Amino acid sequence: MKITDSQLYKYVPKAEKLWLSWLPTDEEIPEHIFSKRFERKMKRLIRNQRRTPRIRKIFLTAKRITAAVLVLTMLSFSGLMTVEAYREKFIEMITEVMDDLTHFKIFSSWNESIRMGEIIFGYLPEGMSEVERMCDEETQGQIIYFEDLDGKQLRIDIQLVTEETDYEIILDTELVDSTKV
């Protein structure tokens, strides 16, 4: 079946009247209430569109410059406040990595009198149990030895790092089995 232009001109107005008769009247349609946020955005958009494009570009550039200055000011201020005030409080570490060993040197400029707290391990390798614990009151250090049933040993050396003390350790990358020594 082929629809011609004359048929369309004849039947479309009837279909339009039929379709419109099914729609509710204007009184039956509830009025939409827009959110406050939407209303603010629309007012801002209308106010912005009243300005000329040149003025809008000037406002946008001014906003960007203000934001950049604010970010730079905040970064400068926070950098100045944190570097000197907190730099001395943190532990500094120098690491040298060679082919067969790693050398750690840990030091701090902490000069307040503090004591080392109790050391409790949340995890140890399976079968390991504490064999010996040696405490040094002068350096506030501890050496804790663990051993499993196969004779494998684990040594943990802990030392409080302050202004008076520093700590150095050299780790050999070759694994040594204590049962073969």
Side-chain angles (χ1 to χ4, degrees):
M1 172 176 199
K2 186 176 182 181
I3 299 175
T4 62
D5 287 341
S6 61
Q7 289 175 329
L8 280 174
Y9 284 116
K10 181 178 178 182
Y11 294 112
V12 166
K14 292 179 184 177
E16 180 184 15
K17 285 181 186 176
L18 178 64
W19 183 70
L20 289 175
S21 68
W22 290 343
L23 293 176
T25 62
D26 288 341
E27 292 81 28
E28 294 174 354
I29 298 174
E31 188 170 330
H32 180 72
I33 300 171
F34 293 100
S35 68
K36 298 285 185 188
R37 181 177 170 215
F38 178 79
E39 292 288 341
R40 282 193 308 268
K41 283 185 175 182
M42 289 307 294
K43 284 180 184 177
R44 189 181 318 129
L45 183 62
I46 291 169
R47 186 175 59 240
N48 194 23
Q49 290 302 315
R50 287 184 186 156
R51 298 182 183 129
T52 63
R54 183 171 177 240
I55 298 294
R56 283 195 302 259
K57 193 172 187 177
I58 290 171
F59 271 100
L60 181 63
T61 305
K63 286 180 183 178
R64 287 180 179 167
I65 290 171
T66 304
V69 167
L70 182 63
V71 166
L72 286 174
T73 303
M74 286 177 20
L75 288 174
S76 298
F77 183 72
S78 64
L80 288 174
M81 291 304 291
T82 59
V83 170
E84 188 61 32
Y86 295 109
R87 178 178 46 147
E88 296 176 6
K89 302 287 183 189
F90 290 102
I91 294 175
E92 298 177 33
M93 181 168 39
I94 298 174
T95 308
E96 297 177 53
V97 179
M98 282 72 145
D99 289 337
D100 58 344
L101 59 94
T102 304
H103 176 226
F104 292 97
K105 179 170 183 165
I106 303 167
F107 57 95
S108 174
S109 57
W110 185 271
N111 57 6
E112 295 181 22
S113 64
I114 55 173
R115 307 291 300 164
M116 184 178 289
E118 182 182 354
I119 298 168
I120 301 172
F121 295 97
Y123 170 78
L124 286 172
E126 191 173 320
M128 287 283 179
S129 60
E130 186 174 328
V131 178
E132 183 181 359
R133 184 179 293 233
M134 297 181 334
C135 299
D136 185 0
E137 289 297 323
E138 184 180 325
T139 63
Q140 294 191 38
Q142 291 186 19
I143 300 175
I144 307 169
Y145 293 96
F146 296 91
E147 190 172 327
D148 67 359
L149 299 175
D150 297 333
K152 292 182 181 175
Q153 297 177 346
L154 174 65
R155 174 185 162 185
I156 299 177
D157 192 351
I158 303 167
Q159 181 174 334
L160 187 63
V161 179
T162 64
E163 189 175 53
E164 291 85 29
T165 63
D166 63 357
Y167 189 73
E168 288 191 51
I169 184 169
I170 298 176
L171 297 176
D172 191 356
T173 56
E174 182 182 336
L175 295 176
V176 178
D177 189 358
S178 65
T179 58
K180 295 180 181 177
V181 175

